[in-house]
Amino acid sequence: MVAVVAVGMRGWEEIELSYRAHRGDLVRLAGLLLDEPGAREEVVQDAFVALHLRRGTVAPEKVPAYLRSSVLNAARSRLRHRRVVDRLGWILPTTPPTPEDEAISGDRRAGVLTAVRRLSRRQQEVVVLRYWMDLSEADIAATLGISPGSVKVHASRALAAIARSVGEEP
Amino acid sequence: MSDVERDLRDSLRARAEAVPVGRADGSGLARRLAAARRRRRARVGGAGLALLVAIAAVSVVARTDHDGPNVVAGPDPSSTTTTTTLEPSTTTEPEQAPTTPAPTTSAPPPGITVPPRASTTSPGPPPTARTTSTTAALTPLPDDAVWPAPGTTTSFPTPQRAADDFTRRFLGMGNPQLAPAQVTGTNATVGVRAYVTGGQVSVVALRSTPARGWVVVGCAASTIQVDTPSAGTRVSSPLSVAGRAFAFEGQVDVEVRQDGVAAPIGRSSGTGGGTELLPFEATVTFPRPPVARGTVVVSEARADVADQGPATATVVRVGF
């Protein structure tokens, strides 16, 4: 904590308060996108560290989008770093099933998640932000740094792919 | 909402709820911050050394190509100098010793007078010394001059002094480390680092003017490339600033400044690459300035301290 005090206690206290307020959702977001349990908390902490290092340059209303974006970027970097480029490692490990997998009841839901796992990373991110975080297209666009039109396209294609996978019309 | 969407929502919610969150770990957060700072210091040190080597190579090429007249850099002879320190009339000068030795591999081009360089231990002007200035009758600065500040009577007899004042007072660097000026005719470049111990280099571009001595016309960091706006273009709000950047966590700060006002009139930030040069884009909104010219400053913040200016910066002169 000594190193932290040196950069300004007030700023750090604000970060810690924000960390306690937002970390739950962000850890879950990381948990949906990373299959490394130990990495979830780390990518979230890194997001807050980056926010602290950039204090004063991120407008307060943009902090949630900044944190989400940082977590997604860090998750992407982690996967790239580990050379896990196969999509099977993106959402939910395939085998063996974890207790988290077992918590999901029903073959249909498992099939949906399997279909999500086969999407491109960008489509998975859009799906998670839209259907789990309930973000608007504009917020998703701001988080991912893409246009709202691209969000629409990714969501539409993802939904179509999932529907095909579970044998339904989108 | 379709059945698939409902299933998708339910599945993701169930999956998210099953992710163990645990207790907040404040000490872990502090450890991550300390580790981030260590990584950054190590990274900027290596990149800075590489850029200095690149600057040396560019300098060799520029000097080899030079075939212009014998132009001597220095104060405008018509100006009324009131300083007590006289600068030697040279095209390269012994300057504040950089932490990394300056490139000395190139021979002076024909027509350029290069006096024997002082010992590398010769410190030249101390970093904290006020820039030598003249109080000549106010002659308008050229339109592309970023520094000295328009409206002031300050002029700089050497590119080194102009670069030092620019990095301290315009960029806000607390203790900039300057490499010796590389002069080619009426143009010069000075490499600047924000850190005493190393780090990335921003290259300050200068030009010698007859009436106002050396003026800064731009600044470029190899890790922050600004494609738009280009220098000399007219811009208005909202301004889209785009390019490629390699910065800590990929984050770059973007400011719009108007001449005569130190504080930015608009600011934003963008995300480039954290491990390589990647595209960034930021949109800055700002009130319509009452002056005709200003600058766009894209910079990478220092990780270790908050009030010592940026680690690197690229500065583009624009019109409004």
Side-chain angles (χ1 to χ4, degrees):
Chain A
M1 189 62 83
V2 174
V4 174
V5 172
V7 300
M9 180 57 85
R10 184 169 178 272
W12 185 249
E13 284 178 342
E14 289 172 355
I15 291 292
E16 283 196 318
L17 284 175
S18 180
Y19 173 65
R20 292 176 197 287
H22 295 291
R23 66 177 284 276
D25 280 349
L26 292 172
V27 168
R28 290 189 180 94
L29 174 63
L32 286 172
L33 301 172
L34 274 176
D35 62 353
E36 288 179 275
R40 298 164 186 160
E41 184 75 37
E42 287 181 1
V43 298
V44 172
Q45 289 179 350
D46 283 346
F48 283 93
V49 166
L51 178 65
H52 174 63
L53 294 177
R54 300 184 54 75
R55 59 196 179 282
T57 63
V58 181
E61 68 273 14
K62 292 185 178 175
V63 165
Y66 180 89
L67 291 170
R68 285 193 300 267
S69 184
S70 291
V71 168
L72 292 176
N73 289 341
R76 241 179 266 133
S77 296
R78 288 241 171 198
L79 290 175
R80 202 179 299 127
H81 185 68
R82 288 170 41 212
R83 300 180 186 279
V84 182
V85 292
D86 58 324
R87 294 166 188 169
L88 299 182
W90 185 237
I91 288 185
L92 293 178
T94 49
T95 57
T98 65
E100 296 152 21
D101 297 326
E102 291 165 356
I104 303 168
S105 60
D107 290 343
R108 186 178 173 81
R109 285 181 180 175
V112 168
L113 286 177
T114 300
V116 171
R117 197 171 58 209
R118 290 176 181 150
L119 299 173
S120 71
R121 279 183 293 181
R122 184 63 93 194
Q123 288 175 349
Q124 290 178 28
E125 290 166 356
V126 168
V127 161
V128 168
L129 293 175
R130 178 168 176 171
Y131 291 102
W132 177 62
M133 296 202 92
D134 288 328
L135 296 185
S136 68
E137 284 175 354
D139 285 341
I140 296 172
T143 297
L144 297 179
I146 59 179
S147 69
S150 295
V151 173
K152 241 179 226 180
V153 170
H154 285 306
S156 170
R157 289 178 181 169
L159 212 54
I162 294 169
R164 276 196 303 275
S165 181
V166 298
E168 281 196 9
E169 290 298 316
Chain B
M1 183 177 286
S2 67
D3 288 345
V4 173
E5 287 177 298
R6 257 192 300 276
D7 286 341
L8 185 55
R9 184 178 302 246
D10 292 345
S11 302
L12 289 172
R13 282 181 177 170
R15 177 69 175 83
E17 287 303 315
V19 172
V21 174
R23 290 173 53 242
D25 183 7
S27 62
L29 194 58
R31 282 195 301 273
R32 306 283 307 169
L33 175 61
R37 287 185 173 139
R38 282 196 300 272
R39 285 197 303 273
R40 185 176 197 184
R41 287 194 195 103
R43 180 171 59 79
V44 298
L49 185 60
L51 186 58
L52 277 180
V53 172
I55 291 171
V58 170
S59 170
V60 169
V61 173
R63 287 180 175 218
T64 303
D65 292 344
H66 176 78
D67 58 355
N70 182 3
V71 178
V72 178
D76 177 10
S78 65
S79 65
T80 307
T81 303
T82 58
T83 54
T84 56
T85 304
L86 294 178
E87 293 293 320
S89 295
T90 60
T91 51
T92 58
E93 53 202 324
E95 302 287 1
Q96 170 185 333
T99 306
T100 302
T104 57
T105 55
S106 60
I112 296 291
T113 303
V114 182
R117 182 174 291 278
S119 163
T120 54
T121 58
S122 173
T128 55
R130 179 68 178 87
T131 301
T132 302
S133 64
T134 62
T135 53
L138 183 60
T139 303
L141 288 162
D143 288 348
D144 63 347
V146 177
W147 198 256
T152 64
T153 59
T154 303
S155 63
F156 301 100
T158 69
Q160 188 86 1
R161 287 174 184 267
D164 184 74
D165 201 54
F166 166 76
T167 50
R168 290 177 187 278
R169 299 177 63 204
F170 183 88
L171 294 180
M173 289 183 180
N175 187 19
Q177 305 297 303
L178 275 64
Q182 304 298 320
V183 182
T184 306
T186 56
N187 299 314
T189 57
V190 176
V192 180
R193 288 189 307 218
Y195 297 90
V196 175
T197 53
Q200 294 164 318
V201 174
S202 303
V203 179
V204 181
L206 306 104
R207 192 175 72 247
S208 178
T209 63
R212 296 297 300 268
W214 286 93
V215 298
V216 175
V217 296
C219 180
S222 65
T223 51
I224 301 175
Q225 300 169 4
V226 178
D227 299 329
T228 56
S230 54
T233 56
R234 291 174 65 90
V235 303
S236 59
S237 179
L239 169 64
S240 175
V241 179
R244 292 162 65 81
F246 161 37
F248 180 67
E249 298 289 347
Q251 300 298 311
V252 290
D253 298 323
V254 181
E255 295 177 354
V256 174
R257 302 191 194 183
Q258 71 178 57
D259 281 356
V261 178
I265 58 173
R267 60 173 48 174
S268 181
S269 62
T271 303
T275 56
E276 59 185 325
L277 273 175
L278 288 177
F280 74 90
E281 184 169 6
T283 301
V284 192
T285 57
F286 53 91
R288 185 182 177 85
V291 297
R293 277 173 281 278
T295 51
V296 173
V297 182
V298 185
S299 61
E300 177 188 5
R302 287 180 64 148
D304 54 341
V305 288
D307 58 351
Q308 294 290 301
T312 56
T314 291
V315 179
V316 179
R317 187 73 167 150
V318 295
F320 296 120

